[in-house]
Amino acid sequence: MYVLKHGIKRNPERRWALPDRIFFGHGACAILAGTFLKHPPLEGFYGERIIPDEGFSGNHIYVTNGLIAFDYHGYCARERLLEHHERSWASRNAGWHCMIAKVDFDLLDKTELNRRKMLGPDQYLQDPIPRARGFSSEETTRKPRQERSGLQRRWRPTTGRLFPIRHRRCAACWSIPGSAAARLR
């Protein structure tokens, strides 16, 4: 899980300068979900909200049809998204628990979002709706990730091949037998 440096969310310029995936994963998830629902590329999607217990952070909004979910990660299985979110927050905050609720408000309405301690579209440095529209259309046309032997792979458009991704801090990536990092230990 990516952790923002202190103060970035309070600084409009620094927040706007974040890469799309981090921008929509740290505070603008409601804008991404609301934009997706305005012109859904697939039928049957609705918004769901992860609401952490009192005193904890970790609020998140995504869209789902009950099986497939879409958020700043792109498309994935709903259960996988929920497991990832819970595992990430629980590893940083002992006793972290949440509930899942269907979104029953307009995700692009400033008043409704502010009532739930989220920013509305007109409270960012620039309009995030075109940015969200571009991000979601990019994600819907991207080739799906494939997993082989536990190693995450991504499509490289320039060569037309899949290549492995290793995250600097991801124990799963660096503990694969035969990997360069495992040989250096």
Side-chain angles (χ1 to χ4, degrees):
M1 182 173 166
Y2 185 84
V3 179
L4 286 178
K5 290 181 181 176
H6 184 70
I8 288 181
K9 287 178 87 171
R10 289 193 174 100
N11 183 322
E13 290 85 15
R14 290 178 68 195
R15 178 183 230 171
W16 188 259
L18 291 170
D20 285 348
R21 192 170 303 271
I22 298 168
F23 177 76
F24 291 116
H26 289 276
C29 57
I31 306 298
L32 182 63
T35 304
F36 183 97
L37 292 173
K38 202 104 164 149
H39 304 288
L42 301 168
E43 293 296 319
F45 276 75
Y46 56 91
E48 277 189 345
R49 182 175 173 205
I50 299 172
I51 306 169
D53 287 348
E54 191 69 32
F56 288 100
S57 299
N59 180 51
H60 185 55
I61 295 179
Y62 58 94
V63 293
T64 184
N65 65 358
L67 296 173
I68 300 170
F70 177 81
D71 73 345
Y72 67 98
H73 291 106
Y75 289 98
C76 66
R78 178 182 176 270
E79 291 305 314
R80 184 174 179 177
L81 181 141
L82 294 173
E83 287 169 8
H84 169 74
H85 194 81
E86 183 172 2
R87 186 175 54 250
S88 297
W89 281 98
S91 70
R92 294 177 54 214
N93 301 289
W96 190 91
H97 293 286
C98 67
M99 66 177 234
I100 310 299
K102 191 171 183 177
V103 172
D104 60 353
F105 58 92
D106 183 1
L107 289 170
L108 297 177
D109 180 28
K110 176 178 128 181
T111 307
E112 293 291 335
L113 290 171
N114 287 173
R115 194 175 296 153
R116 291 160 180 88
K117 299 180 183 175
M118 294 180 266
L119 295 179
D122 59 345
Q123 294 175 307
Y124 289 90
L125 183 64
Q126 297 177 32
D127 186 4
I129 294 175
R131 187 173 176 176
R133 207 175 294 129
F135 180 80
S136 61
S137 67
E138 177 186 314
E139 287 298 316
T140 57
T141 57
R142 181 177 294 204
K143 296 221 182 234
R145 293 180 185 175
Q146 296 181 8
E147 293 183 10
R148 295 182 185 158
S149 68
L151 185 63
Q152 190 179 22
R153 296 174 184 268
R154 232 184 235 159
W155 180 258
R156 179 177 281 170
T158 54
T159 63
R161 295 191 321 224
L162 291 170
F163 67 99
I165 298 173
R166 288 204 168 98
H167 305 97
R168 252 188 292 174
R169 298 182 191 169
C170 182
C173 292
W174 293 110
S175 62
I176 297 171
S179 73
R183 287 191 297 272
L184 292 174
R185 285 187 189 157

